Coordinates of all heavy atoms in Angstrom, one line a residue:
N9 N 1.5 9.9 -5.3 CA 2.2 11.2 -5.1 C 3.1 11.6 -6.3 O 3.2 12.7 -6.7 CB 3.1 11.1 -3.8 CG 2.3 11.1 -2.5 OD1 1.2 11.6 -2.5 ND2 2.9 10.6 -1.5
L15 N 1.8 15.6 -12.7 CA 0.7 16.4 -13.2 C 0.8 17.8 -12.9 O 0.6 18.7 -13.8 CB -0.6 15.8 -12.6 CG -1.9 16.5 -13.0 CD1 -2.1 16.4 -14.6 CD2 -3.1 16.0 -12.3
M31 N 5.3 23.6 1.9 CA 6.0 24.1 3.0 C 6.4 23.0 4.0 O 5.7 22.1 4.3 CB 5.0 25.1 3.7 CG 5.6 25.7 5.0 SD 4.4 26.7 5.9 CE 5.0 28.3 5.5
T35 N 10.7 22.6 9.6 CA 11.7 23.7 9.4 C 11.1 25.1 9.7 O 11.7 25.9 10.4 CB 12.2 23.7 8.0 OG1 12.8 22.4 7.7 CG2 13.3 24.7 7.7
D42 N 13.2 30.3 16.4 CA 14.5 31.1 16.3 C 14.3 32.6 16.2 O 14.9 33.4 16.9 CB 15.4 30.6 15.2 CG 15.9 29.2 15.4 OD1 15.9 28.7 16.6 OD2 16.4 28.6 14.4
G46 N 15.2 35.5 18.9 CA 16.0 36.7 18.6 C 15.2 38.0 18.9 O 15.9 39.0 19.3
C48 N 12.4 38.3 21.0 CA 11.9 38.4 22.4 C 12.9 38.1 23.5 O 12.7 38.4 24.7 CB 10.7 37.5 22.6 SG 9.4 37.7 21.4
A65 N 8.5 40.0 11.0 CA 9.7 39.3 10.6 C 9.3 38.1 9.7 O 10.0 37.9 8.7 CB 10.5 38.9 11.8
V80 N -1.0 28.4 8.3 CA -0.2 27.7 9.3 C -0.7 28.2 10.7 O -0.8 27.4 11.6 CB 1.3 28.0 9.1 CG1 2.1 27.6 10.4 CG2 1.8 27.2 8.0
L83 N -5.3 31.4 10.5 CA -6.0 32.6 10.2 C -6.4 32.7 8.7 O -6.0 31.9 7.9 CB -4.9 33.8 10.4 CG -4.3 33.9 11.7 CD1 -3.1 34.8 11.7 CD2 -5.3 34.4 12.8
Q130 N -0.4 32.2 21.2 CA -0.8 30.9 21.7 C -0.1 29.8 20.9 O 0.5 28.9 21.5 CB -2.3 30.7 21.4 CG -2.8 29.3 21.8 CD -4.3 29.1 21.5 OE1 -4.8 29.8 20.7 NE2 -4.9 28.1 22.1
A135 N 4.2 25.7 20.6 CA 5.3 25.1 19.9 C 6.6 25.1 20.8 O 7.3 24.1 20.9 CB 5.6 25.8 18.6
W138 N 6.0 22.4 23.4 CA 6.1 21.0 22.9 C 7.5 20.7 22.6 O 7.9 19.5 22.8 CB 5.2 20.9 21.6 CG 3.8 21.0 21.9 CD1 3.1 20.6 23.0 CD2 2.8 21.4 20.9 NE1 1.8 20.8 22.8 CE2 1.5 21.3 21.6 CE3 2.8 21.9 19.6 CZ2 0.4 21.7 21.0 CZ3 1.6 22.3 19.0 CH2 0.4 22.2 19.7
R143 N 12.3 17.5 24.1 CA 13.6 17.4 24.6 C 13.7 16.7 25.9 O 14.6 15.8 26.1 CB 14.2 18.8 24.8 CG 14.6 19.5 23.5 CD 15.3 20.8 23.8 NE 15.6 21.5 22.6 CZ 15.7 22.8 22.4 NH1 15.6 23.6 23.5 NH2 16.0 23.3 21.3
L145 N 11.6 14.4 27.0 CA 11.4 13.0 26.7 C 12.6 12.3 26.1 O 12.9 11.2 26.4 CB 10.2 12.8 25.8 CG 8.8 13.0 26.4 CD1 7.7 13.0 25.3 CD2 8.5 11.9 27.4
L162 N -0.2 5.2 33.6 CA -1.3 4.3 33.6 C -1.8 4.0 35.0 O -3.0 3.9 35.2 CB -0.9 3.0 32.8 CG -0.7 3.1 31.3 CD1 -0.2 1.8 30.8 CD2 -2.0 3.5 30.6
E163 N -0.9 3.8 35.9 CA -1.3 3.6 37.3 C -2.0 4.8 37.9 O -3.1 4.6 38.5 CB 0.0 3.3 38.2 CG 0.6 2.0 37.9 CD 1.9 1.8 38.6 OE1 2.2 2.6 39.5 OE2 2.7 0.9 38.3
G173 N -15.4 6.1 40.5 CA -16.4 5.1 40.6 C -16.9 4.9 42.0 O -18.1 4.7 42.2

Side-chain angles (χ1 to χ4, degrees):
N9 288 340
L15 178 62
M31 177 184 253
T35 303
D42 289 344
C48 305
V80 164
L83 303 167
Q130 179 186 18
W138 293 332
R143 283 184 183 158
L145 284 173
L162 290 175
E163 289 173 13

